[in-house]
């Protein structure tokens, strides 16, 4: 049900934006009123794909800055498929409107229209858009779990991190295209706002993560264990904190009532961030696709067979200590019990 609601909400927003651009736009804007319908659709589809791409890259840092954004992480790859489809429709409209009536084949005419590299505003922006579209299409085509299993989670994740390359090319495509075609500078402004917003969000999320790491990963003076939390009672019930020990994998420490357990922060499905998930029916639940694992041994409940690494915890007063050395996936570790806070 959650997936259906998510997809319906995303589809409604996309349809609403396109309708507002092509139907309401000409009613309130003189320039839109004097634009032919197909050119209007080209602008609507292109801007929709670019704004969606910006938003999908903003979801990660937003969720790390405020847990209320975590639900938007669910099925985020569905948005990626939607972006690829919208961008493909934008490209098809461009080819049909501008390059289908000449003597050359449309695709040949499209590439032949590239201008020299100088002056800079005349940079050939069309090839940039083609490469960005190709990356988005590859990501959409490999979004199914078959490709995850075939390529392995690390390779699959690295492939899908190329979305940042597609974004960079899309920014240049929009900026140079706007410099050549938009006297108002609207597209230049759109690309600038997008870059500034995403850069600010990622820097803010990175600063917060490094600050939390410095606070949590102080070395215990007597052993190799590290201080995961000065006050274990501050860990929200049903959720987790993420600890990043020096030179080690990130660790998610979950609290379920009075019980606390630690596992790797990487989901066995798609390396999703388990620490951003929550406890559902006593199991750690990944925020990306709801894969579940028991807290005490990192094993998925039957009939599923996935397993993740576990870690040892120790409670000294209210201070929570973590052994940063992982146990083999599926190793049982007795949960730490919080007990009652001293008055």
């Amino acid at each position: 049900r959650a997936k259906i609601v998510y997809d319906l909400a995303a589809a409604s927003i996309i349809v609403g934006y396109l309708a507002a651009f092509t139907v309401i736009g000409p009613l309130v804007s003189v320039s839109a009123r004097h634009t032919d319908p197909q050119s209007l659709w080209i602008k609507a589809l292109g801007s929709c794909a670019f704004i969606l791409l910006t938003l999908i890259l903003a979801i990660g840092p937003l969720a790390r800055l405020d847990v209320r954004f975590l639900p938007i992480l669910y099925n985020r790859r569905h948005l990626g498929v939607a972006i690829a489809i919208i961008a493909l429709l934008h490209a098809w409209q461009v080819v049909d409107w501008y390059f289908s009536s000449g003597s050359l084949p449309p695709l040949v005419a499209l590439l032949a229209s590239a201008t020299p590299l100088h002056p800079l505003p005349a940079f050939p922006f069309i090839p940039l858009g083609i490469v960005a579209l190709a990356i988005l299409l590859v990501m959409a085509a490999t979004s199914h779990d078959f490709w995850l299993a075939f390529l392995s989670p690390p390779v699959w994740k690295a492939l899908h991190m190329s979305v940042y390359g597609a974004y960079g090319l899309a920014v240049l495509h929009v900026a140079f295209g706007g410099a050549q075609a938009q006297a108002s500078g609207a597209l230049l402004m759109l690309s600038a706002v997008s870059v500034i917003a995403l850069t600010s969000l990622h820097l803010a999320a990175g600063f917060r993560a490094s600050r939390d790491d410095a606070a949590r990963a102080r070395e215990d003076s007597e052993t190799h264990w590290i201080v995961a939390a000065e006050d274990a009672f501050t860990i929200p019930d049903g959720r987790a904190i993420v600890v990043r020990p020096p030179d080690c994998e990130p660790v998610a420490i979950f609290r379920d009532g009075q019980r606390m357990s630690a596992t790797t922060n990487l989901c066995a499905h798609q390396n999703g961030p388990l620490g951003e998930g929550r406890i559902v029916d006593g199991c750690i639940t990944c925020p990306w696709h709801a894969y579940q694992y028991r807290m005490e041994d990192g094993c998925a409940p039957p009939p599923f067979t996935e397993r993740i690494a576990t870690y040892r915890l120790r409670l000294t007063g209210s201070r929570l200590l973590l052994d940063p050395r992982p146990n083999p996936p599926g190793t049982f570790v007795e949960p730490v019990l919080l007990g009652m806070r001293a008055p």
Side-chain angles (χ1 to χ4, degrees):
R1 181 178 178 276
K3 289 184 178 182
I4 295 174
V5 172
Y6 189 103
D7 291 345
L8 286 176
S12 299
I13 293 172
I14 292 170
V15 171
Y17 176 86
L18 295 176
F21 202 109
T22 57
V23 177
I24 300 175
L27 299 178
V28 299
S29 171
V30 176
S31 60
R33 195 176 307 137
H34 290 88
T35 302
D36 60 272
Q38 192 160 2
S39 293
L40 203 60
W41 270 105
I42 289 172
K43 295 177 181 180
L45 291 166
S47 60
C48 181
F50 185 75
I51 292 172
L52 261 182
L53 185 57
T54 300
L55 291 177
I56 199 173
L57 292 179
I59 292 174
L62 282 173
R64 285 164 175 79
L65 291 170
D66 192 327
V67 295
R68 288 174 294 183
F69 289 99
L70 282 173
I72 308 178
L73 275 172
Y74 305 158
N75 304 309
R76 180 170 54 172
R77 58 178 171 174
H78 292 195
L79 293 180
V81 174
I83 291 171
I85 293 173
I86 295 169
L88 183 62
L89 290 174
H90 166 74
W92 178 77
Q93 290 282 349
V94 169
V95 172
D96 181 67
W97 184 239
Y98 291 103
F99 302 102
S100 62
S101 301
S103 58
L104 293 174
L107 292 179
V108 175
L110 175 70
L111 295 174
S113 67
T115 53
L117 296 180
H118 298 286
L120 193 59
F123 192 92
F125 66 95
I126 290 178
L128 300 175
I130 293 174
V131 177
L133 175 61
I135 294 174
L136 294 175
L137 291 176
V138 169
M139 291 179 58
T142 58
S143 64
H144 194 273
D145 281 352
F146 166 80
W147 292 101
L148 172 70
F150 180 75
L151 297 172
S152 78
V155 174
W156 187 93
K157 187 173 183 179
L159 172 65
H160 282 245
M161 286 298 289
S162 63
V163 65
Y164 285 95
Y167 172 74
L169 292 169
V171 167
L172 295 176
H173 175 73
V174 171
F176 286 121
Q180 296 177 38
Q182 294 287 332
S184 64
L187 289 181
L188 287 171
M189 182 64 68
L190 175 64
S191 58
V193 169
S194 171
V195 170
I196 293 172
L198 280 183
T199 302
S200 301
L201 282 173
H202 280 78
L203 287 175
F207 173 77
R208 180 169 180 173
S210 65
R211 183 192 63 187
D212 292 345
D213 293 347
R216 293 174 181 158
R218 295 190 298 273
E219 291 287 344
D220 186 84
S221 58
E222 298 178 357
T223 70
H224 60 271
W225 293 58
I226 65 170
V227 178
E230 288 289 353
D231 186 356
F233 288 91
T234 61
I235 300 176
D237 190 12
R239 293 201 175 273
I241 61 172
V242 177
V243 179
R244 296 174 176 81
D247 303 320
C248 297
E249 292 287 343
V251 179
I253 302 176
F254 281 87
R255 175 183 175 185
D256 183 21
Q258 300 302 102
R259 302 189 312 146
M260 290 190 302
S261 294
T263 69
T264 175
N265 190 48
L266 301 177
C267 178
H269 177 217
Q270 289 184 359
N271 284 353
L274 289 176
E276 295 177 9
R278 56 194 177 95
I279 301 296
V280 178
D281 297 330
C283 290
I284 297 168
T285 304
C286 181
W288 281 10
H289 306 106
Y291 272 58
Q292 291 189 306
Y293 308 92
R294 293 191 295 258
M295 290 175 53
E296 61 273 13
D297 60 11
C299 294
F304 305 104
T305 58
E306 290 81 11
R307 296 181 301 167
I308 56 175
T310 58
Y311 292 79
R312 294 189 297 159
L313 294 174
R314 189 171 71 195
L315 200 60
T316 304
S318 61
R319 173 184 279 190
L320 185 65
L321 301 179
L322 166 72
D323 182 350
R325 298 171 298 180
N327 298 308
T331 300
F332 178 86
V333 177
E334 189 69 37
V336 167
L337 298 180
L338 268 177
M340 299 296 294
R341 182 188 285 274

